[in-house]
Amino acid sequence: MTEAPPRCTLILGGVRSGKSRLAEGLAHGSGLPVTYLATARAGDGEMARRIEAHRRRRPAQWRLIEEPLELAERISVEAAAQRCVLVECLTLWVTNLLMEADGPRIEHALERLPEVIAAAPGRLILVGNETNMGVIPLGELSRRYCDLAGRLHQDLAARCDQVLFMVAGLPLVVKGPALSR
């Protein structure tokens, strides 16, 4: 008997740790139609090149939606039985909120997203950068960012069936079923 895939997977790790490739592989392997929710904005040439590299790697039949701020609302619309929604990247979303929203709006967004994730149908794959494993940042904004991202990751990990941590391209299972090879 084959074990059912997890309904919701959270993939965390450092920059260039292999999170995106793993998430894309899981989405492809789901056999479901995929909606890719991208939160990144091309604020400079280097980021534009990163976004383009991601676009080239994705299958053409995947639906792309760019949503830098209203992530919970978009997931609630896009998530459906027999569909896979891949969100890339939670921490860029937190950055966007910090740059554009006031305190109450940020708090509401960070409370709402885990609620939406818990109730969403279909297959969900969420990607975020783990930012809280080093030196505490000196600046107030950087510390706030790390605090918000850390809280979000904890809230989502509590609601996800599977949590994976990427190190040097290798997935470590933190919670839930092992990855099939």
Side-chain angles (χ1 to χ4, degrees):
M1 184 167 121
T2 327
E3 188 175 328
R7 184 192 64 80
C8 184
T9 298
L10 174 63
I11 303 171
L12 300 172
V15 174
R16 299 285 192 223
S17 63
K19 301 178 305 292
S20 297
R21 286 189 193 277
L22 176 62
E24 292 163 3
L26 292 174
H28 182 73
S30 74
L32 301 170
V34 176
T35 299
Y36 188 104
L37 294 181
T39 64
R41 290 180 169 163
D44 57 40
E46 189 274 337
M47 191 60 169
R49 287 187 294 278
R50 282 180 184 246
I51 291 170
E52 184 54 35
H54 278 254
R55 283 185 181 144
R56 282 193 310 267
R57 232 182 22 229
R58 288 192 300 265
Q61 69 270 21
W62 285 10
R63 184 165 173 239
L64 170 65
I65 297 173
E66 296 178 348
E67 182 50 69
L69 293 170
E70 304 300 330
L71 191 56
E73 291 71 17
R74 184 56 78 167
I75 291 171
S76 67
V77 168
E78 297 301 325
Q82 300 306 308
R83 184 182 303 163
C84 178
V85 175
L86 192 164
V87 176
E88 171 100 22
C89 156
L90 296 168
T91 41
L92 286 174
W93 175 67
V94 170
T95 298
N96 295 338
L97 288 172
L98 278 171
M99 297 297 109
E100 293 197 21
D102 60 15
R105 183 173 173 203
I106 294 170
E107 288 302 316
H108 174 74
L110 291 174
E111 290 169 6
R112 177 121 170 82
L113 184 63
E115 294 169 356
V116 167
I117 294 299
R123 177 84 168 98
L124 300 170
I125 301 169
L126 313 170
V127 179
N129 288 299
E130 182 54 64
T131 60
N132 293 315
M133 296 184 70
V135 177
I136 296 172
L138 291 176
E140 180 183 348
L141 181 61
S142 298
R143 285 191 304 274
R144 184 164 183 229
Y145 166 77
C146 287
D147 289 348
L148 293 172
R151 185 179 106 202
L152 176 65
H153 292 159
Q154 288 181 53
D155 290 346
L156 291 173
R159 289 165 172 86
C160 287
D161 306 308
Q162 184 180 52
V163 178
L164 305 172
F165 185 72
M166 294 298 294
V167 178
L170 301 173
L172 302 173
V173 177
V174 177
K175 176 183 176 182
L179 294 173
S180 58
R181 294 282 173 178

